[in-house]
Amino acid sequence: MRSTLAGPRVLLRRLREVMAEPINAQERLDKIVVLIAANVVAEVCSVYILRADGVLELYATEGLNRDAVHKTSLKVGEGLVGLIAADARPLNLPNAQAHPAFAYRPETGEDAYNSFLGVPILRAGRTLGVLVVQNQSHRTYFEDEVEALQTTAMVIAEMVAAGELEAIVQQGTKLDLTRPMHFHGVALSDGVGLGHVVLHEPRVVVTNLIAEDASAELAKLERAIARLRISLDDLLASGDFAQHGEHREVLEAYRMFANDRGWIRKIEEAINNGLTAEAAVEKVQSDTRARMMRQTDPYLRERLHDLDDLAHRLIRELMGRQHGPVSESLPQDAVIVARNMGAAELLDYGRDRIRAVALEEGGPTSHVTIVARALGIAAVGLAENLVSLAESGDAVIVDGESGQIHLRPAQDIENAYAEKVRFRARRQAQYRRLRNKPSITRDNVDISLQLNAGLLVDLPAVSESGAAGVGLFRTELQFMVASSFPRMSEQTDYYRQVLDAADGRPVTFRTLDIGGDKVLPYLRAIQEENPAMGWRAIRFGLDRPGILRTQIRALLHAAAGRELRIMFPMVSAVSEFHQAKAMVDREIKHLRRHDHKGPERLQLGVMIEVPSLLYQLDELFDVVDFASIGSNDLFQFFTAVDRGNTRVAGRFDTMGVPFLRALRQIVERANAHNTPVTLCGEIAGQPLQAMALAALGYRALSMSPAALGPVKAMVRGLDLGRLSARLLPRLETPGALEDPRALLRAFASDNDISL
């Protein structure tokens, strides 16, 4: 026979009154279990809270022995309560003691009770505890009773998340929500950052859980879903954020979920049971996340991320919150935690407050990684489920050397990393002492060390680090952070400031390299199957000559009376260089015609990053003044490894023999034509790889500011002749060099070279 149920909405109203009472946490929990028991006409209601040691502790009960509170416990997976915590699913049994997982605790006095209903206490899909009701009679609880218990569990979850239960935690124990967690990701940018979590797309904390008027909440949900659908349709129609195939797939998945009646129906049911619209979305998503996190199918796990993002977006719509964080509220030691983010988004935060970046995705050569390195910010990527397990304000350590992330670290780990930071500071001080010392090997070979830059904030590092100049200035970053296309006068002022800051040292300006994965917010993107190999860089510039001509003119004006080095990116044929050079020649004639002073010395070069140029090297070096190798893209195209695809990130080894042979071929042909060549990809900033590049014949390397000190220390300890004699014959002999890294490490160890 069915119990007389007061209904979830009545229960929630009464719970709201209890939550408003000025009582302590234990008293509040005690009142909650009494209310629940009365609501579902249960003889027993108990709350178990998950501790950091993986044990579920009885925190409150109505019907069992009150003396067992804080004394009875079960491990996750042990007994019925432990089974619910492990599976994150409700358990509804008419005869609990007959279940094989039943575990009897004599101190509780529960042997008299047969029927059992337990639900997990969930927040963001994470199990924080278990809520149980029991009766002596053999019965199966009804669906609305299960729903009532799940809804009530949300209230308890918020009590845990708000820290209210900390006051009644037993001495020597901690709650699971505060449990230290460790993630092993991929090191993206060197450094160690200690600070507090700032979620890049922060989950809005839903504090108003209980609805006054269900019909009003349903109407609010309908309006928010309509706005959400329109915004997704607009994004797909405009293409602004769908220039990549994978990005378009994500938006299509969002739109599919936003129109899914099953998902919306579950939210409506939760509202009808007494929750506000935003609390209903959170509840449905938390239930879904708990279920899907236990899936091993990678496709389903990816769809979980899509659903998470969509649910958070819908909650923000419902609560009228903006997307993204408010920079003014950043702590002084912010660690940005995100699934992924763009370079411009990172720059929006303000450099002085960011200690590190931690990403669920992100690759070694993604542009956010490049910017993080330029800013000297530690970064780690491929940290699975980090976003869902981190809370804003959590203490966190990001180790950009080893790829480790410590969330809510234990005190001994925090102390160890604080010492590591102090040690790094001492090492950096040693590197700074090398600032004015020449970058010359033990056998007197000069290796010019230059900096990669893209913003004015990078440029003080030129003099501070003792760099020989700027080997690569990425002009597109100015365009990426602007709200509209920079006018010629703005570009001229900007480039003039760059040259002034370089204080006479050479600066190589790369012309606008947009397209592919670099999108300007004010320029409509073109959808392409393979954007990295599509309409970008010099191809874009030659097809839109007005944009490239404006930039060239701005550079010529800015460099009046000084040396100017202009480099064209993504050149795949020598004829493209001739076309770009013709544009420069026309602009110089325009300057002279109007009596404007141009550069005192002008040099034009190309970036070698397309393999087709390897078969045009002699023709190329006959006509260019210099060349730079963009090893990131060159390796990507050389090995068919998408540098933005996390699935193949493990294959990204730039020390493979075929690639080293290609790099050797380039520098040999450049030397034959007396054409200077610089390598300015990310491998130049790693001491081990830089050692290999020097052995291959490269005498100019460009890197991030933080890398210059370690690379210079390596150079000054290197006998280059001995290394070349050991490496080059093996490189040229088939099968003689299986593991270049092992050879380089052994050489460094034998010769006491700092790496």
Side-chain angles (χ1 to χ4, degrees), residues 428 431-432 434 449 465 703-714:
Q428 290 299 325
Y431 294 145
R432 281 194 294 273
L434 296 177
L449 301 184
S465 64
M703 63 205 67
S704 66
L708 197 137
V711 172
K712 183 181 276 192
M714 178 277 295

Side-chain angles (χ1 to χ4, degrees), residues 653 655-658 660-661 727 730-731 733-743:
D653 185 7
M655 287 290 100
V657 169
L660 292 181
R661 286 175 178 164
L727 176 67
R730 290 174 174 81
L731 183 66
T733 304
L737 185 61
E738 291 184 4
D739 188 352
R741 289 180 184 276
L743 183 149

Side-chain angles (χ1 to χ4, degrees), residues 400-451:
E401 290 181 358
S402 66
Q404 310 289 318
I405 299 172
H406 298 273
L407 185 64
R408 300 181 290 271
Q411 191 61 51
D412 57 342
I413 291 177
E414 197 165 332
N415 292 342
Y417 269 97
E419 178 56 37
K420 186 173 184 176
V421 169
R422 287 191 287 270
F423 175 73
R424 283 180 59 84
R426 289 194 294 271
R427 278 183 61 190
Q428 290 299 325
Q430 292 172 352
Y431 294 145
R432 281 194 294 273
R433 285 195 287 273
L434 296 177
R435 179 179 62 185
N436 297 320
K437 295 185 181 295
S439 180
I440 297 177
T441 65
R442 284 183 181 177
D443 49 346
N444 292 316
V445 178
D446 186 13
I447 308 292
S448 175
L449 301 184
Q450 303 167 34
L451 295 188

Side-chain angles (χ1 to χ4, degrees), residues 74-89:
L74 301 106
K75 293 179 181 176
V76 172
E78 180 186 10
L80 300 178
V81 170
L83 183 63
I84 294 165
D87 291 347
R89 287 185 294 189

Side-chain angles (χ1 to χ4, degrees), residues 556-592:
L556 293 170
H557 278 281
R562 296 190 270 200
E563 179 183 355
L564 175 63
R565 294 166 59 87
I566 299 177
M567 177 169 63
F568 302 105
M570 194 71 182
V571 170
S572 55
V574 176
S575 60
E576 291 176 333
F577 172 75
H578 286 305
Q579 292 176 62
K581 184 177 184 299
M583 292 177 68
V584 176
D585 291 340
R586 282 196 296 273
E587 290 306 316
I588 290 174
K589 289 178 182 176
H590 180 272
L591 272 179
R592 290 171 179 163

Side-chain angles (χ1 to χ4, degrees), residues 84 88-92 117-120 146 150:
I84 294 165
R89 287 185 294 189
L91 195 59
N92 189 352
L117 170 61
V119 300
V146 177
Q150 287 179 314

Side-chain angles (χ1 to χ4, degrees), residues 374-578:
L375 298 176
I377 296 169
V380 170
L382 300 182
E384 190 175 357
N385 288 321
L386 174 64
V387 172
S388 64
L389 295 171
E391 297 282 343
S392 289
D394 278 346
V396 64
I397 298 169
V398 176
D399 187 341
E401 290 181 358
S402 66
Q404 310 289 318
I405 299 172
H406 298 273
L407 185 64
R408 300 181 290 271
Q411 191 61 51
D412 57 342
I413 291 177
E414 197 165 332
N415 292 342
Y417 269 97
E419 178 56 37
K420 186 173 184 176
V421 169
R422 287 191 287 270
F423 175 73
R424 283 180 59 84
R426 289 194 294 271
R427 278 183 61 190
Q428 290 299 325
Q430 292 172 352
Y431 294 145
R432 281 194 294 273
R433 285 195 287 273
L434 296 177
R435 179 179 62 185
N436 297 320
K437 295 185 181 295
S439 180
I440 297 177
T441 65
R442 284 183 181 177
D443 49 346
N444 292 316
V445 178
D446 186 13
I447 308 292
S448 175
L449 301 184
Q450 303 167 34
L451 295 188
N452 296 336
L455 297 166
L456 290 173
V457 294
D458 298 330
L459 294 172
V462 177
S463 57
E464 290 169 7
S465 64
V470 178
L472 168 65
F473 192 87
R474 302 181 178 95
T475 61
E476 64 273 2
L477 288 184
Q478 181 201 14
F479 290 75
M480 290 168 70
V481 299
S483 58
S484 60
F485 212 98
R487 296 189 300 272
M488 182 188 143
S489 59
E490 293 173 320
Q491 292 184 53
T492 302
D493 290 343
Y494 187 72
Y495 303 142
R496 188 177 290 122
Q497 290 179 66
V498 171
L499 291 167
D500 290 344
D503 196 23
R505 297 177 180 86
V507 178
T508 300
F509 291 93
R510 182 176 69 186
T511 57
L512 196 58
D513 184 4
I514 58 169
D517 55 355
K518 285 178 280 190
V519 184
L520 304 185
Y522 43 83
L523 194 65
R524 181 162 182 161
I526 304 298
Q527 291 180 27
E528 299 177 282
E529 279 290 318
N530 295 296
M533 296 184 286
W535 196 51
R536 52 171 288 208
I538 190 64
R539 301 167 184 178
F540 174 87
L542 294 176
D543 288 353
R544 293 281 185 87
I547 292 173
L548 181 56
R549 200 161 47 236
T550 299
Q551 184 176 34
I552 290 170
R553 190 174 295 182
L555 284 164
L556 293 170
H557 278 281
R562 296 190 270 200
E563 179 183 355
L564 175 63
R565 294 166 59 87
I566 299 177
M567 177 169 63
F568 302 105
M570 194 71 182
V571 170
S572 55
V574 176
S575 60
E576 291 176 333
F577 172 75
H578 286 305

